[in-house]
Amino acid sequence: MLAAGRSQRSGRVHKSCRRVPGSRWTWLEDQVRRLHWAGFAPIRVIAGQRSRRLWRCCRLRVHRRVNFQAARLGPFSSVRLAADTAATAVLLVQSDTQLPANTELRRLRRALHISSVMAARLVDQHGHGGHPVLIAKVLAQQIRAAGEGERLDKLLQSLPGAALANLPTRRFRSFPRLNDAQGWNKARAQLRVWARRS
């Protein structure tokens, strides 16, 4: 779980510590619970400069890591830190991207079982999204060896065609801009729409 951003635009409350619209859980807690239900373990949270605030809003047991260089080196340094702890394949999740259903997570796992696939990710019908992404052990090793100026999206795009599995899904639920009241109000409205369709 990548949560090392400064979250400056979200105000005094870290974005991951805001409550999920319509829930009693914080965004971070909700993500952790869903990952547990989907069978992912151990769960590691990569925090940054606001780590103390982040730990206070997560009452669940997780492995905690702090990326003290996140502000200076950028987001990829957190990806490298997450890959550094991976003994096997690792699921990279941004803390502000809502997780898909367990059926979609199982699709990611099945895709990674194909021998040529090094990474699998979910995208919408237009090819947008890309989070969460499941990376194989061999790619995690490459990420650890990559330079500080690298970017995950560029690294994935450089993979051979058969090595990156893009799995289209119609129920792609992502909230990338939950930084202000307007963003959260739009998310609440969207969640109500999804609830009526379920």
Side-chain angles (χ1 to χ4, degrees):
M1 180 79 64
L2 305 177
R6 295 183 181 183
S7 194
Q8 289 177 312
R9 291 175 295 174
S10 64
R12 295 180 61 186
V13 180
H14 192 286
K15 184 190 297 183
S16 299
C17 293
R18 294 186 182 275
R19 299 209 177 275
V20 174
S23 171
R24 66 186 180 91
W25 299 98
T26 65
W27 197 267
L28 181 60
E29 290 173 326
D30 187 67
Q31 299 287 64
V32 170
R33 290 170 68 245
R34 296 190 62 192
L35 285 172
H36 274 303
W37 290 339
F40 288 91
I43 297 174
R44 296 181 175 91
V45 177
I46 311 298
Q49 290 183 325
R50 301 176 73 176
S51 58
R52 291 184 179 179
R53 297 184 182 184
L54 200 62
W55 304 143
R56 282 199 296 267
C57 71
C58 184
R59 297 159 289 180
L60 305 176
R61 182 175 297 179
V62 296
H63 293 260
R64 302 176 179 183
R65 296 292 299 270
V66 179
N67 180 8
F68 296 102
Q69 303 298 322
R72 184 174 68 87
L73 299 180
F76 189 71
S77 61
S78 295
V79 174
R80 291 178 63 188
L81 184 58
D84 190 48
T85 62
T88 58
V90 58
L91 181 72
L92 296 176
V93 179
Q94 290 179 325
S95 62
D96 60 353
T97 299
Q98 189 183 33
L99 284 168
N102 287 356
T103 54
E104 299 296 318
L105 293 175
R106 285 195 288 270
R107 287 179 65 204
L108 288 176
R109 281 178 164 167
R110 288 196 299 269
L112 208 61
H113 289 163
I114 301 173
S115 59
S116 60
V117 173
M118 298 172 63
R121 61 184 181 179
L122 296 173
V123 296
D124 63 16
Q125 61 268 33
H126 305 293
H128 300 152
H131 286 279
V133 57
L134 185 61
I135 62 173
K137 181 179 179 180
V138 62
L139 182 56
Q141 294 170 345
Q142 293 182 19
I143 289 174
R144 290 197 292 269
E148 293 180 354
E150 188 62 84
R151 285 177 45 175
L152 181 60
D153 57 343
K154 299 297 184 182
L155 189 62
L156 293 175
Q157 290 171 10
S158 69
L159 293 176
L164 177 60
N166 288 311
L167 308 180
T169 175
R170 293 182 179 180
R171 299 180 66 82
F172 191 85
R173 302 178 178 184
S174 176
F175 301 113
R177 295 181 179 85
L178 299 180
N179 296 310
D180 52 31
Q182 182 181 4
W184 282 85
N185 288 335
K186 290 179 65 175
R188 289 190 183 94
Q190 186 64 70
L191 282 171
R192 286 195 292 269
V193 171
W194 285 329
R196 287 196 297 267
R197 293 176 179 175
S198 300

